[in-house]
Amino acid sequence: MATTMPMPVWRRALTSGIGLVTATIVASNVLRIVSTIVLTRVLSPADFGVAGLTAVIIGILTMMSDFGFGVYVVQHPQGNDARVLDSIWTVRLLRALVLTLLLFAGAQPLAWLIGKPEMRAVIEVISLQFLIEGCSSLAPFSAVRDQRIGRLSLLDIISAVAQTLIGIALALVLRNYWAIVLGGLMGTAIRSWLSYPMFAASGRRFNFDRQSAIALWRFGRTIASAHTIQVLLSNVDKLVLSRVFPLSQFGLYTLASNLAAAPSAFTSIYPNRILLPAYAAAWRAGEAALAAAYYRDRRRIMLLYMVAMGGFIAMAPSVIALLYDPRYASTATYLRLLALAPALALNNYAAREALIVADRVRTLLFANFVRLGWLAIGGGAGFLAFGPIGLVAAVGLVELPVMLYCWYELARIGVFRLNEEMLLLAALAGGVVLGLIGNMLYFAMWG
């Protein structure tokens, strides 16, 4: 009788949900680093300033109009029904068309508002980003719902590789910011196209259903309100500094923001693709099941992440010195401060997913009110006392008061454990100590 050989541990790790997510994040960040190493040697800091401003504009409009389409598909009782998916896809496509037309029409006044009138043409071109993305399939959301992460991770990697290669090729030819702008549009187009052939039953058709649209609105309006505040908060530093800094200095800040956003990819993908479906399944089994699963399902990953982030924060000068030429040295100060936010954000986003499945969607909105209060008081005081760097420090610490608020909400549903939370903060502090030692060794050995 034939026997089945057990799967090796390394293969089980790579094919598990967390293994696939980790592999995707590592691959994406390697591509990000390779891209910036090349682009910083071809383009100027001012080019990164233009690209950074376009990213801010796209990010603000995207989040302000985000009704949580992905979360809606994952949690909907009929999230795999073709008619429901057609209705969601139709609403999302109409939203994308409206955003494209609004941004194109408002390109000139927006360029004047940010004090960079020369950016009108760039803003008009990037308006196509919404329409291109809106044409993509909902199949990646369905893959999250069904916990089929492999094909979705492959889509992430292929589209990231394509965008990186296209951006580098355009930079070598154009030698200006258009390389980043056009590379981003082409990367989005490739991802949108691949979202159909890479997934089964991915085709959708136009089907506007009024009742489904109303149900989506009722679900998403709180999320949209929360995201509106969140995106304004996450970009208030860029909106202020884009007017205070010349494009060259703003380019250095943008580069630091991009590097700090590298771990942010994990803080969004891991809770959404791994923790959200696991917590949803636990909640359907009862409140006690969610309480048991909340820390258990993430403990090891969270500890490793916090140690790594502590080291990343402390070694920011070494990272900048290793990757870039001396023109970008001052980026390290910005990076150290900005990386504090993603260090704390993973814990907050894990709490967010648990609170969503526990029917406390409004906590997303309240958490952003906490962020708003922090930046209004701490950011304003920091800017007045220390100038731009004071505002940057407040932005880096914005997740700290949110963490305290999440603790309160978790306690209300019987999930909060103080010893687990203190263990995570201790891991972050230990990572900082190790990173400081590593930073000193790097400069002692390589200057």
Side-chain angles (χ1 to χ4, degrees):
M1 182 176 179
T3 58
T4 302
M5 295 294 292
M7 183 181 294
V9 175
W10 64 269
R11 188 173 180 180
R12 289 202 305 270
L14 287 177
T15 56
S16 66
I18 184 58
L20 290 169
V21 168
T22 302
T24 303
I25 298 302
V26 170
S28 299
N29 285 334
V30 169
L31 290 170
R32 184 196 300 265
I33 292 172
V34 171
S35 176
T36 54
I37 289 175
V38 176
L39 294 180
T40 52
R41 284 159 174 77
V42 178
L43 306 179
S44 69
D47 293 325
F48 284 95
V50 173
L53 276 175
T54 60
V56 169
I57 294 169
I58 291 293
I60 289 176
L61 290 178
T62 297
M63 294 293 284
M64 288 178 65
S65 60
D66 182 15
F67 285 86
F69 296 103
V71 176
Y72 191 67
V73 171
V74 171
Q75 64 84 43
H76 197 287
Q78 298 175 308
N80 285 329
D81 184 86
R83 293 201 306 175
V84 172
L85 292 174
D86 286 342
S87 178
I88 297 171
W89 181 85
T90 300
V91 172
R92 193 179 64 142
L93 178 60
L94 293 174
R95 159 191 172 268
L97 179 60
V98 170
L99 288 174
T100 294
L101 295 176
L102 284 176
L103 184 56
F104 185 88
Q108 183 172 358
L110 183 57
W112 175 82
L113 182 64
I114 61 178
K116 306 290 187 297
E118 67 274 18
M119 289 190 59
R120 174 185 175 180
V122 179
I123 296 174
E124 290 176 342
V125 171
I126 65 168
S127 66
L128 294 172
Q129 177 89 10
F130 297 112
L131 188 57
I132 295 172
E133 188 174 1
C135 291
S136 64
S137 172
L138 295 179
F141 300 145
S142 297
V144 174
R145 173 188 175 90
D146 300 332
Q147 300 188 42
R148 295 182 286 107
I149 307 299
R151 191 60 60 89
L152 181 56
S153 298
L154 184 61
L155 172 64
D156 291 338
I157 294 174
I158 291 176
S159 56
V161 169
Q163 181 170 331
T164 299
L165 294 178
I166 292 172
I168 291 174
L170 289 175
L172 294 174
V173 174
L174 301 177
R175 302 276 173 167
N176 59 33
Y177 53 81
W178 281 110
I180 303 177
V181 173
L182 297 178
L185 287 176
M186 293 180 184
T188 301
I190 291 172
R191 181 182 177 85
S192 294
W193 172 69
L194 288 176
S195 68
Y196 289 97
M198 289 186 64
F199 297 88
S202 59
R204 302 266 64 88
R205 60 182 180 178
F206 194 89
N207 177 33
F208 183 80
D209 181 77
R210 185 171 178 270
Q211 294 301 321
S212 296
I214 292 175
L216 176 59
W217 162 253
R218 289 173 177 170
F219 173 84
R221 59 189 176 185
T222 301
I223 293 178
S225 300
H227 283 175
T228 297
I229 299 174
Q230 180 179 345
V231 74
L232 292 175
L233 293 175
S234 61
N235 288 285
V236 66
D237 55 327
K238 301 179 182 67
L239 294 174
V240 172
L241 297 178
S242 66
R243 297 189 63 88
V244 175
F245 286 157
L247 278 175
S248 57
Q249 186 67 21
F250 186 72
L252 298 179
Y253 184 77
T254 297
L255 186 60
S257 298
N258 291 339
L259 288 173
S264 295
F266 188 79
T267 65
S268 60
I269 292 179
Y270 172 65
N272 180 261
R273 297 185 184 177
I274 303 299
L275 297 181
L276 175 61
Y279 291 163
W283 178 255
R284 287 191 287 267
E287 294 184 16
L290 177 62
Y294 180 67
Y295 289 108
R296 182 196 64 215
D297 290 351
R298 68 190 184 101
R299 183 181 296 113
R300 182 179 301 177
I301 298 301
M302 288 287 295
L303 288 173
L304 292 174
Y305 176 83
M306 295 298 262
V307 172
M309 282 304 302
F312 180 62
I313 292 169
M315 293 193 68
S318 304
V319 172
I320 298 301
L322 177 65
L323 297 180
Y324 310 127
D325 63 56
R327 291 180 301 166
Y328 297 90
S330 59
T331 304
T333 301
Y334 299 139
L335 179 58
R336 268 186 167 171
L337 294 172
L338 294 176
L340 291 168
L344 300 175
L346 181 59
N347 198 27
N348 294 342
Y349 290 170
R352 177 193 65 185
E353 306 299 0
L355 292 167
I356 286 176
V357 301
D359 296 327
R360 294 181 177 267
V361 178
R362 288 185 178 273
T363 56
L364 275 72
L365 182 60
F366 297 153
N368 284 329
F369 283 138
V370 174
R371 292 184 177 96
L372 179 62
W374 170 261
L375 285 183
I377 299 173
F383 187 84
L384 292 175
F386 304 103
I389 199 66
L391 174 60
V392 176
V395 171
L397 292 170
V398 71
E399 293 296 327
L400 181 60
V402 178
M403 180 181 68
L404 299 177
Y405 170 70
C406 288
W407 288 0
Y408 167 74
E409 290 292 344
L410 290 173
R412 293 184 66 188
I413 62 173
V415 171
F416 177 71
R417 301 290 183 272
L418 181 60
N419 61 323
E420 295 278 359
E421 301 292 344
M422 291 296 103
L423 182 61
L424 293 177
L425 294 180
L428 178 64
V432 170
V433 172
L434 293 175
L436 290 174
I437 296 173
N439 197 63
M440 290 188 293
L441 291 175
Y442 175 85
F443 284 106
M445 296 176 66
W446 289 285

